[in-house]
Amino acid sequence: MLPKERRNMILEQLNKNEKIDIEQLVEQLNVSAMTIRRDLAYLEDEEKIIRTHGGAILNKPLIIESSFHTKEGKHSHQKRQIAQKALNFIQNHSTILLDSGTTTLEIAKLLKDKKDLTVVTNDIKIAAELMDSEVKVIVAGGELQNNVGTLFGPLTEQILKNLHVDLFFLGAHAIHLEAGITAPTFEKASIKKLMIEAAETTWLVADSSKFDQKSLTKVCDLSSIYGVITDDGITDECEGKIKEHLQVITAHGGEVK
C-alpha cells in the first residue's frame, strides 16, 4: 500500500471514530509502528490530526467565544431543560456559585423566588436578573468583558481565592473526552479553575452542542468534576464514555415548555 493510501485510510478511521491508536493501525494496515508514527507525523504537519500519547485525534477547528446576544438565542430550549434539572441540586441556606454564561443565566431565572440562598457570580447579566429577588447576591467584580458580560482579571481572582461555596455550576465553551473542558482564553480558564477549587461540588451545565469540541485553554479533565447536566441530544456512545469519568444527568425534550 502506498503511503498516500495508508494516510487516507488513517483519516477515514479518524472521521469515523475521532481517535485512533498506533497498535490498532499496525494491526489493521500490517505495517510497523515506526511507519505509523511517520504517517501520523506527516498528517500532523499537514494540520489534519493532533498526535496524542499512543495515537492521534482529529484536528477540528477550535471553538472561539461569541457575544452574549449570539449565544442567547442558541439552544435556548435545551438550556432551560438543563436549568430545571440543576434546580434539583440546590438546597435552602446554601451558597451557589454561578459561572458566566447563558445556561447559568437560565438557572438564575429559576432562583428569583428562592429565599435563604446566596449566589456568587462573575456575570453582570446574572446579577441583574437577581437584582429584584430575595436572593443574596455577591458579584466577583473585575474587568468587564464587553459584549459578553463576564467579569475577569486579578480582582475577580482575588475574590475567588478567598471564597468557599457549597455548589458550583460550571459553564463550558467546549468539552472533549481527550482534551477535557476548555475555554477560549487563559483568563477565562484561570477563573473557572479557581471556581472549581472554591466549591465543595461542581456540576458542569452544558447543552449537547458543546460536546466533542475543543477550545484554546484547558480548564480541567472531566474526572476533576462531580457530574454534568446536559440535554438528550448527546449520543449514547458519548454518554457512555463520559460516564466512565463522572455522573451524567440528562434533561429530556418534553420536560420544559
Side-chain angles (χ1 to χ4, degrees):
M1 183 182 296
L2 295 173
K4 184 177 180 180
E5 295 174 325
R6 194 170 55 244
R7 291 161 190 162
N8 284 338
M9 287 189 67
I10 291 172
L11 290 174
E12 287 177 9
Q13 288 277 0
L14 277 170
N15 278 314
K16 291 178 182 177
N17 304 315
E18 298 196 3
K19 177 187 176 184
I20 50 172
D21 297 319
I22 291 175
E23 292 181 4
Q24 172 191 347
L25 291 172
V26 166
E27 184 176 341
Q28 288 179 349
L29 301 177
N30 195 28
V31 294
S32 69
M34 183 61 70
T35 298
I36 295 299
R37 289 191 181 95
R38 283 197 295 266
D39 287 338
L40 295 181
Y42 178 89
L43 292 170
E44 187 172 50
D45 288 341
E46 294 283 305
E47 298 184 351
K48 293 179 179 177
I49 69 164
I50 297 172
R51 283 192 290 176
T52 61
H53 180 69
I57 59 176
L58 206 58
N59 186 12
K60 290 187 172 182
L62 296 179
I63 298 298
I64 60 174
E65 187 157 22
S66 303
S67 70
F68 172 82
H69 293 295
T70 299
K71 293 186 289 186
E72 185 181 27
K74 289 184 176 180
H75 312 287
S76 55
H77 181 67
Q78 290 88 339
K79 291 171 184 177
R80 289 194 294 271
Q81 294 172 357
I82 293 165
Q84 194 69 52
K85 283 287 187 181
L87 201 63
N88 296 328
F89 298 97
I90 298 175
Q91 303 294 324
N92 290 333
H93 310 290
S94 59
T95 302
I96 311 301
L97 179 55
L98 291 181
D99 196 2
S100 178
T102 50
T103 304
T104 45
L105 177 60
E106 292 298 330
I107 297 175
K109 291 176 182 178
L110 299 176
L111 301 179
K112 295 170 76 172
D113 296 327
K114 292 277 187 179
K115 298 179 181 179
D116 300 320
L117 194 68
T118 300
V119 169
V120 184
T121 187
N122 67 323
D123 189 306
I124 62 168
K125 293 282 187 180
I126 290 175
E129 186 68 34
L130 294 171
M131 181 175 63
D132 295 321
S133 72
E134 294 190 45
V135 175
K136 181 179 180 180
V137 180
I138 299 173
V139 180
E143 182 180 346
L144 175 66
Q145 184 179 9
N146 293 349
N147 299 315
V148 176
T150 301
L151 298 168
F152 68 98
L155 290 175
T156 309
E157 292 183 5
Q158 189 60 42
I159 293 170
L160 293 172
K161 286 176 182 177
N162 291 283
L163 192 70
H164 184 79
V165 301
D166 300 304
L167 183 61
F168 171 40
F169 288 111
L170 167 67
H173 297 84
I175 307 158
H176 192 276
L177 288 167
E178 297 294 326
I181 300 168
T182 51
T185 66
F186 288 99
E187 291 86 357
K188 283 287 180 71
S190 176
I191 293 293
K192 291 175 186 290
K193 287 175 184 177
L194 288 171
M195 288 177 164
I196 293 170
E197 292 172 7
E200 285 287 333
T201 304
T202 296
W203 279 95
L204 172 65
V205 286
D207 66 80
S208 55
S209 71
K210 303 292 180 63
F211 288 84
D212 195 28
Q213 305 288 349
K214 290 174 285 183
S215 198
L216 179 65
T217 310
K218 186 165 185 174
V219 175
C220 66
D221 293 318
L222 292 178
S223 57
S224 300
I225 62 175
Y226 184 78
V228 56
I229 307 172
T230 188
D231 60 82
D232 57 8
I234 187 172
T235 66
D236 291 339
E237 180 182 7
C238 182
E239 182 176 349
K241 290 179 179 178
I242 292 171
K243 282 182 175 178
E244 296 175 9
H245 303 280
L246 70 170
Q247 187 173 346
V248 179
I249 302 295
T250 306
H252 295 282
E255 294 183 4
V256 178
K257 300 296 183 183

